[in-house]
Coordinates of all heavy atoms in Angstrom, one line a residue:
M2 N 101.7 117.8 252.4 CA 100.9 117.1 251.5 C 101.6 116.8 250.2 O 101.5 115.7 249.6 CB 99.6 118.0 251.2 CG 98.7 117.3 250.3 SD 97.9 115.9 251.1 CE 96.7 115.4 249.9
K3 N 102.4 117.7 249.7 CA 103.2 117.5 248.5 C 104.2 116.4 248.7 O 104.5 115.6 247.8 CB 103.9 118.7 248.0 CG 103.3 119.4 246.8 CD 104.2 120.5 246.3 CE 103.6 121.1 245.1 NZ 104.3 122.2 244.6
G4 N 104.8 116.3 249.8 CA 105.8 115.3 250.1 C 105.2 113.9 250.1 O 105.8 112.9 249.6
H5 N 104.0 113.8 250.6 CA 103.3 112.5 250.6 C 102.9 112.1 249.1 O 103.0 110.9 248.8 CB 102.0 112.6 251.4 CG 102.3 112.8 252.9 ND1 102.9 111.9 253.7 CD2 102.0 113.9 253.7 CE1 103.0 112.4 254.9 NE2 102.5 113.6 254.9
L6 N 102.6 113.1 248.3 CA 102.3 112.8 246.9 C 103.5 112.3 246.2 O 103.4 111.4 245.4 CB 101.7 114.0 246.3 CG 101.1 113.8 244.8 CD1 100.0 112.7 244.8 CD2 100.6 115.1 244.3
T7 N 104.7 112.9 246.4 CA 105.9 112.5 245.8 C 106.3 111.1 246.2 O 106.7 110.2 245.4 CB 107.0 113.4 246.1 OG1 106.6 114.8 245.8 CG2 108.3 113.1 245.4
L8 N 106.1 110.8 247.5 CA 106.4 109.4 248.0 C 105.4 108.4 247.4 O 105.8 107.3 247.0 CB 106.3 109.4 249.5 CG 106.6 108.1 250.2 CD1 108.0 107.6 249.9 CD2 106.3 108.1 251.6
L9 N 104.2 108.8 247.3 CA 103.2 107.9 246.7 C 103.5 107.6 245.2 O 103.4 106.5 244.8 CB 101.8 108.5 246.9 CG 100.6 107.6 246.3 CD1 100.5 106.4 247.1 CD2 99.4 108.4 246.3
L10 N 103.8 108.6 244.5 CA 104.2 108.5 243.1 C 105.4 107.6 242.9 O 105.5 106.8 242.0 CB 104.3 109.8 242.4 CG 103.1 110.5 242.0 CD1 103.4 111.9 241.4 CD2 102.3 109.7 241.0
S11 N 106.4 107.8 243.7 CA 107.6 107.0 243.6 C 107.3 105.5 243.9 O 107.9 104.6 243.3 CB 108.7 107.6 244.4 OG 108.4 107.5 245.8
L12 N 106.5 105.3 244.9 CA 106.2 103.9 245.3 C 105.3 103.3 244.2 O 105.5 102.1 243.8 CB 105.4 103.9 246.6 CG 106.2 104.2 247.8 CD1 105.3 104.2 249.1 CD2 107.3 103.1 248.0
C13 N 104.4 104.0 243.6 CA 103.6 103.5 242.5 C 104.4 103.2 241.3 O 104.2 102.2 240.6 CB 102.5 104.5 242.1 SG 101.2 104.5 243.4
S14 N 105.4 104.0 241.0 CA 106.2 103.8 239.8 C 107.1 102.6 240.0 O 107.3 101.8 239.1 CB 107.0 105.0 239.5 OG 107.9 105.3 240.5
S15 N 107.6 102.4 241.2 CA 108.4 101.2 241.5 C 107.6 100.0 241.4 O 108.0 98.9 240.9 CB 109.0 101.3 242.9 OG 109.9 102.4 242.9
L16 N 106.3 100.0 241.9 CA 105.4 98.9 241.8 C 105.1 98.6 240.4 O 105.0 97.4 240.0 CB 104.2 99.1 242.7 CG 103.2 98.0 242.7 CD1 103.8 96.8 243.5 CD2 101.9 98.5 243.4
L17 N 104.9 99.6 239.6 CA 104.5 99.4 238.2 C 105.7 98.7 237.4 O 105.4 97.7 236.7 CB 104.3 100.8 237.5 CG 104.1 100.8 236.0 CD1 102.7 100.3 235.7 CD2 104.3 102.2 235.5
V18 N 106.9 99.1 237.6 CA 108.0 98.4 237.0 C 108.2 97.0 237.5 O 108.5 96.1 236.7 CB 109.3 99.3 237.2 CG1 110.5 98.5 236.7 CG2 109.2 100.5 236.4
F19 N 108.0 96.8 238.8 CA 108.1 95.5 239.4 C 107.1 94.5 238.8 O 107.4 93.4 238.3 CB 108.0 95.5 240.9 CG 108.0 94.2 241.5 CD1 109.2 93.4 241.6 CD2 106.8 93.6 242.0 CE1 109.2 92.2 242.2 CE2 106.8 92.4 242.6 CZ 108.0 91.7 242.7
L20 N 105.8 95.0 238.7 CA 104.8 94.1 238.2 C 104.9 93.9 236.7 O 104.7 92.8 236.2 CB 103.4 94.7 238.4 CG 103.0 94.7 239.9 CD1 101.6 95.5 240.1 CD2 102.8 93.3 240.4
L21 N 105.4 94.9 235.9 CA 105.6 94.7 234.5 C 106.7 93.7 234.3 O 106.7 92.9 233.3 CB 105.8 96.0 233.8 CG 105.8 96.0 232.3 CD1 104.5 95.6 231.8 CD2 106.1 97.4 231.8
S22 N 107.8 93.8 235.1 CA 108.9 92.9 234.9 C 108.5 91.5 235.3 O 108.9 90.5 234.7 CB 110.1 93.3 235.8 OG 110.5 94.6 235.3
L23 N 107.6 91.4 236.3 CA 107.2 90.1 236.8 C 106.3 89.4 235.8 O 106.4 88.2 235.6 CB 106.4 90.3 238.1 CG 106.0 89.0 238.9 CD1 107.2 88.2 239.4 CD2 105.1 89.4 240.0
F24 N 105.5 90.1 235.1 CA 104.5 89.5 234.2 C 105.0 89.8 232.7 O 104.1 89.7 231.8 CB 103.1 90.1 234.4 CG 102.5 89.7 235.7 CD1 102.3 90.7 236.7 CD2 102.2 88.4 236.0 CE1 101.8 90.3 237.9 CE2 101.7 88.0 237.2 CZ 101.5 89.0 238.2
Q25 N 106.2 90.0 232.5 CA 106.7 90.3 231.1 C 106.4 89.1 230.2 O 106.0 89.3 229.0 CB 108.2 90.6 231.2 CG 108.8 91.1 229.8 CD 108.2 92.4 229.4 OE1 108.1 93.3 230.2 NE2 108.0 92.6 228.1
W26 N 106.7 87.9 230.6 CA 106.5 86.8 229.7 C 105.0 86.6 229.4 O 104.6 86.2 228.3 CB 107.0 85.5 230.3 CG 108.5 85.5 230.4 CD1 109.3 85.7 231.5 CD2 109.4 85.5 229.3 NE1 110.6 85.7 231.2 CE2 110.7 85.6 229.9 CE3 109.3 85.3 228.0 CZ2 111.9 85.5 229.1 CZ3 110.4 85.3 227.2 CH2 111.7 85.4 227.7
D27 N 104.1 86.8 230.4 CA 102.7 86.7 230.1 C 102.2 87.8 229.1 O 101.4 87.6 228.2 CB 101.9 86.9 231.4 CG 102.0 85.7 232.3 OD1 102.3 84.6 231.7 OD2 101.8 85.8 233.5
V28 N 102.8 89.0 229.3 CA 102.4 90.1 228.3 C 102.9 89.8 226.9 O 102.3 90.0 225.9 CB 103.0 91.4 228.9 CG1 102.9 92.5 227.8 CG2 102.4 91.9 230.1
D29 N 104.2 89.2 226.9 CA 104.7 88.8 225.6 C 103.9 87.7 224.9 O 103.7 87.8 223.7 CB 106.1 88.3 225.7 CG 107.1 89.4 225.9 OD1 106.7 90.6 225.7 OD2 108.3 89.1 226.3
N30 N 103.4 86.8 225.7 CA 102.6 85.7 225.1 C 101.2 86.2 224.6 O 100.6 85.7 223.7 CB 102.4 84.6 226.1 CG 103.7 83.8 226.2 OD1 104.6 83.8 225.3 ND2 103.9 83.1 227.4
R31 N 100.6 87.1 225.4 CA 99.3 87.6 225.1 C 99.2 88.6 223.9 O 98.3 88.5 223.1 CB 98.6 88.2 226.3 CG 98.3 87.1 227.3 CD 97.6 87.7 228.5 NE 97.5 86.8 229.6 CZ 96.5 85.9 229.8 NH1 95.5 85.9 229.0 NH2 96.5 85.1 230.8
I32 N 100.1 89.6 223.9 CA 100.0 90.6 222.9 C 101.1 90.6 221.9 O 101.0 91.3 220.9 CB 99.9 92.0 223.5 CG1 101.2 92.3 224.3 CG2 98.7 92.2 224.4 CD1 101.3 93.7 224.8
G33 N 102.0 89.7 222.1 CA 103.1 89.6 221.1 C 104.4 90.2 221.5 O 104.5 91.2 222.2
K34 N 105.5 89.6 221.0 CA 106.8 90.1 221.3 C 107.2 91.4 220.7 O 108.0 92.1 221.2 CB 107.8 89.0 220.9 CG 107.7 87.7 221.7 CD 108.7 86.7 221.2 CE 108.4 85.4 222.0 NZ 109.3 84.3 221.5
Y35 N 106.5 91.7 219.6 CA 106.8 93.0 218.9 C 106.1 94.2 219.5 O 106.5 95.3 219.2 CB 106.5 92.8 217.4 CG 107.4 91.7 216.8 CD1 106.7 90.5 216.4 CD2 108.7 91.8 216.7 CE1 107.5 89.5 215.9 CE2 109.5 90.7 216.2 CZ 108.9 89.6 215.8 OH 109.6 88.5 215.3
V36 N 105.0 93.9 220.2 CA 104.2 95.0 220.8 C 104.7 95.4 222.2 O 104.6 96.5 222.6 CB 102.7 94.7 220.8 CG1 101.9 95.8 221.4 CG2 102.2 94.4 219.4
S37 N 105.3 94.4 222.9 CA 105.7 94.6 224.3 C 106.7 95.7 224.5 O 106.6 96.4 225.5 CB 106.2 93.2 224.8 OG 106.6 93.4 226.1
P38 N 107.7 95.9 223.6 CA 108.6 97.0 223.9 C 108.0 98.4 223.8 O 108.4 99.3 224.4 CB 109.7 96.9 222.8 CG 109.6 95.4 222.4 CD 108.2 95.0 222.6
Y39 N 106.9 98.5 223.0 CA 106.2 99.7 222.9 C 105.5 100.1 224.2 O 105.2 101.3 224.5 CB 105.2 99.7 221.8 CG 105.9 99.7 220.5 CD1 105.8 98.6 219.7 CD2 106.7 100.8 220.0 CE1 106.5 98.5 218.4 CE2 107.3 100.7 218.8 CZ 107.3 99.6 218.0 OH 107.9 99.5 216.8
I40 N 105.1 99.1 225.1 CA 104.6 99.4 226.4 C 105.6 100.1 227.2 O 105.3 101.1 227.9 CB 104.2 98.1 227.1 CG1 103.0 97.5 226.4 CG2 103.8 98.3 228.5 CD1 102.6 96.1 226.9
W41 N 106.9 99.7 227.2 CA 107.9 100.4 227.9 C 108.2 101.7 227.3 O 108.3 102.7 228.0 CB 109.2 99.6 227.8 CG 109.3 98.4 228.7 CD1 108.9 97.1 228.5 CD2 109.7 98.4 230.1 NE1 109.0 96.4 229.6 CE2 109.5 97.1 230.6 CE3 110.2 99.4 230.9 CZ2 109.8 96.8 231.9 CZ3 110.5 99.1 232.2 CH2 110.3 97.8 232.7
L42 N 108.1 101.8 226.0 CA 108.5 103.1 225.3 C 107.4 104.1 225.5 O 107.7 105.3 225.7 CB 108.6 102.8 223.8 CG 109.1 104.0 222.9 CD1 110.5 104.4 223.3 CD2 109.0 103.6 221.5
F43 N 106.1 103.8 225.5 CA 105.1 104.8 225.6 C 104.4 104.9 227.0 O 103.7 105.9 227.2 CB 104.0 104.4 224.6 CG 104.4 104.6 223.2 CD1 104.4 103.6 222.3 CD2 104.8 105.8 222.7 CE1 104.8 103.7 221.0 CE2 105.2 106.0 221.4 CZ 105.2 104.9 220.5
F44 N 104.7 104.0 227.9 CA 104.0 104.1 229.2 C 105.0 104.2 230.4 O 104.9 105.1 231.2 CB 103.1 102.9 229.5 CG 101.9 102.9 228.5 CD1 101.8 101.9 227.6 CD2 100.9 103.8 228.6 CE1 100.8 101.9 226.7 CE2 99.8 103.8 227.8 CZ 99.8 102.9 226.8
V45 N 106.0 103.3 230.4 CA 106.9 103.2 231.6 C 107.9 104.4 231.6 O 108.1 105.1 232.5 CB 107.5 101.9 231.7 CG1 108.5 101.8 232.9 CG2 106.5 100.8 231.8
I46 N 108.6 104.5 230.5 CA 109.7 105.5 230.4 C 109.1 106.9 230.5 O 109.7 107.7 231.2 CB 110.5 105.3 229.1 CG1 111.2 103.9 229.2 CG2 111.5 106.4 228.9 CD1 112.0 103.5 228.0
P47 N 108.0 107.3 229.8 CA 107.5 108.6 230.0 C 107.0 108.9 231.4 O 107.2 110.0 231.9 CB 106.3 108.7 229.0 CG 106.6 107.7 228.0 CD 107.3 106.6 228.7
F48 N 106.5 107.9 232.1 CA 106.0 108.1 233.5 C 107.2 108.4 234.3 O 107.2 109.3 235.2 CB 105.3 106.8 234.0 CG 104.8 107.0 235.3 CD1 103.6 107.8 235.6 CD2 105.4 106.4 236.4 CE1 103.1 107.9 236.9 CE2 104.9 106.5 237.7 CZ 103.8 107.3 237.9
F49 N 108.3 107.7 234.2 CA 109.5 108.0 234.9 C 110.1 109.3 234.6 O 110.7 110.0 235.4 CB 110.6 106.9 234.8 CG 110.3 105.7 235.7 CD1 109.9 104.5 235.3 CD2 110.6 105.9 237.1 CE1 109.6 103.5 236.2 CE2 110.4 104.8 238.0 CZ 109.9 103.6 237.5
L50 N 110.1 109.7 233.3 CA 110.6 111.0 232.9 C 109.8 112.1 233.5 O 110.4 113.1 234.0 CB 110.7 111.1 231.4 CG 111.8 110.3 230.7 CD1 111.6 110.4 229.2 CD2 113.1 110.7 231.2
L51 N 108.5 112.0 233.5 CA 107.6 113.0 234.1 C 107.8 113.1 235.6 O 107.9 114.2 236.2 CB 106.2 112.7 233.8 CG 105.7 113.0 232.4 CD1 104.3 112.6 232.2 CD2 105.9 114.5 232.1
L52 N 108.0 111.9 236.3 CA 108.2 111.9 237.7 C 109.6 112.5 238.0 O 109.7 113.3 239.0 CB 108.2 110.5 238.2 CG 108.2 110.3 239.7 CD1 107.0 110.9 240.4 CD2 108.3 108.8 240.0
T53 N 110.6 112.3 237.2 CA 111.9 112.9 237.4 C 111.8 114.4 237.2 O 112.4 115.2 238.0 CB 112.9 112.3 236.5 OG1 112.9 110.9 236.7 CG2 114.3 112.8 236.7
L54 N 111.1 114.8 236.2 CA 111.0 116.3 236.0 C 110.2 117.0 237.1 O 110.7 118.0 237.6 CB 110.2 116.5 234.7 CG 110.0 118.0 234.3 CD1 111.3 118.6 234.0 CD2 109.1 118.0 233.1
W55 N 109.2 116.3 237.6 CA 108.4 116.9 238.7 C 109.2 116.9 240.0 O 109.2 117.9 240.7 CB 107.1 116.1 238.9 CG 106.2 116.7 239.9 CD1 105.9 118.0 240.1 CD2 105.5 116.0 240.9 NE1 105.0 118.2 241.1 CE2 104.7 116.9 241.6 CE3 105.3 114.6 241.2 CZ2 103.9 116.6 242.7 CZ3 104.5 114.3 242.2 CH2 103.8 115.2 242.9
T56 N 110.0 115.9 240.2 CA 110.9 115.9 241.4 C 111.9 117.0 241.3 O 112.3 117.6 242.3 CB 111.5 114.5 241.5 OG1 110.5 113.5 241.6 CG2 112.4 114.4 242.8
G57 N 112.5 117.2 240.1 CA 113.5 118.3 239.9 C 112.9 119.6 240.2 O 113.5 120.5 240.8
I58 N 111.7 119.9 239.7 CA 111.0 121.1 239.9 C 110.7 121.3 241.4 O 111.0 122.4 242.0 CB 109.7 121.2 239.1 CG1 110.1 121.3 237.6 CG2 108.9 122.4 239.5 CD1 108.9 121.2 236.7
Y59 N 110.3 120.3 242.0 CA 110.0 120.3 243.5 C 111.3 120.6 244.3 O 111.3 121.3 245.2 CB 109.3 119.1 243.9 CG 109.0 119.0 245.4 CD1 108.0 119.8 246.0 CD2 109.7 118.1 246.2 CE1 107.8 119.7 247.3 CE2 109.5 118.1 247.6 CZ 108.5 118.9 248.1 OH 108.3 118.8 249.5
L60 N 112.4 120.0 243.8 CA 113.7 120.1 244.5 C 114.2 121.5 244.4 O 114.6 122.1 245.5 CB 114.7 119.2 243.8 CG 116.1 119.3 244.3 CD1 116.3 118.7 245.7 CD2 117.0 118.6 243.3
F61 N 114.1 122.1 243.3 CA 114.7 123.5 243.2 C 113.7 124.6 243.7 O 114.1 125.7 244.0 CB 115.1 123.8 241.7 CG 116.3 123.0 241.3 CD1 116.2 122.0 240.4 CD2 117.5 123.2 241.9 CE1 117.4 121.3 240.0 CE2 118.7 122.5 241.6 CZ 118.6 121.5 240.6
S62 N 112.4 124.3 243.7 CA 111.5 125.3 244.2 C 111.4 125.3 245.8 O 111.2 126.3 246.4 CB 110.1 125.1 243.7 OG 109.5 123.9 244.1
S63 N 111.6 124.1 246.4 CA 111.5 124.1 247.8 C 112.8 123.8 248.6 O 112.9 123.9 249.8 CB 110.5 123.0 248.3 OG 111.0 121.8 247.9
R64 N 113.8 123.5 247.8 CA 115.2 123.2 248.4 C 115.1 122.1 249.4 O 115.9 122.1 250.3 CB 115.8 124.5 249.1 CG 115.9 125.7 248.2 CD 117.1 125.5 247.3 NE 117.3 126.8 246.6 CZ 117.7 126.8 245.3 NH1 117.8 125.7 244.7 NH2 117.8 127.9 244.7
K65 N 114.3 121.1 249.2 CA 114.3 119.9 250.0 C 114.8 118.8 249.2 O 114.4 118.5 248.0 CB 112.8 119.6 250.4 CG 112.2 120.6 251.3 CD 110.9 120.2 251.8 CE 110.3 121.3 252.7 NZ 109.0 121.0 253.1
W66 N 115.8 118.1 249.7 CA 116.6 117.1 249.0 C 116.1 115.7 249.1 O 116.6 114.7 248.6 CB 118.0 117.2 249.4 CG 118.6 118.5 249.1 CD1 118.7 119.5 249.9 CD2 119.1 119.0 247.8 NE1 119.3 120.6 249.3 CE2 119.5 120.3 248.0 CE3 119.2 118.4 246.6 CZ2 120.0 121.1 247.0 CZ3 119.7 119.2 245.5 CH2 120.1 120.5 245.8
L67 N 115.0 115.4 249.9 CA 114.5 114.1 250.1 C 114.0 113.4 248.8 O 114.3 112.2 248.6 CB 113.4 114.1 251.2 CG 112.8 112.8 251.5 CD1 113.8 111.9 252.2 CD2 111.6 112.9 252.5
P68 N 113.2 114.1 247.9 CA 112.8 113.4 246.7 C 114.0 112.9 245.8 O 113.9 112.0 245.1 CB 112.0 114.5 246.0 CG 111.5 115.3 247.0 CD 112.6 115.4 248.1
L69 N 115.1 113.7 245.9 CA 116.3 113.2 245.1 C 116.8 111.9 245.7 O 117.3 111.1 244.9 CB 117.3 114.3 245.1 CG 118.5 114.1 244.2 CD1 118.1 114.0 242.8 CD2 119.5 115.2 244.5
A70 N 116.8 111.8 247.0 CA 117.3 110.5 247.6 C 116.4 109.3 247.3 O 116.9 108.2 247.1 CB 117.4 110.7 249.1
I71 N 115.1 109.6 247.1 CA 114.2 108.5 246.8 C 114.4 108.1 245.3 O 114.5 106.9 245.0 CB 112.7 108.9 247.0 CG1 112.4 109.1 248.4 CG2 111.7 107.9 246.4 CD1 111.1 109.7 248.8

C-alpha cells in the first residue's frame, strides 16, 4: 500500500509541474508576473521537498530502492 502511495504522489507531483509549466503564461496574465514566482516558492518547491524527504525516510526504513529510481 505504501509503495502505491509513493507512486501516486510522484505521478501527481509530475503532473502538477507539467500543468503549471503549461499554463504559466495564463497564470502570469491573470495574477501578475510578480506573484507567479511565489506560487513556485510556496507550493511547488515545498511539495517536492516534502516528497523527497518522505521518500528518503521510506528508503532508509524499508531498504527498498524503487522510490529513489522514480
Side-chain angles (χ1 to χ4, degrees):
M2 183 70 176
K3 252 188 179 181
H5 296 292
L6 187 59
T7 305
L8 179 63
L9 181 67
L10 280 175
S11 65
L12 289 174
C13 288
S14 63
S15 298
L16 183 66
L17 173 76
V18 169
F19 175 73
L20 289 175
L21 191 60
S22 298
L23 186 66
F24 295 112
Q25 184 70 38
W26 292 107
D27 290 335
V28 170
D29 285 345
N30 288 336
R31 291 184 191 269
I32 62 173
K34 294 179 184 176
Y35 301 110
V36 178
S37 181
Y39 292 110
I40 292 174
W41 283 91
L42 185 64
F43 291 120
F44 294 109
V45 177
I46 294 173
F48 183 74
F49 274 107
L50 289 176
L51 287 174
L52 187 64
T53 303
L54 179 68
W55 185 41
T56 303
I58 291 170
Y59 177 72
L60 172 73
F61 289 113
S62 66
S63 66
R64 302 281 188 222
K65 294 183 181 177
W66 298 98
L67 182 64
L69 186 63
I71 293 173

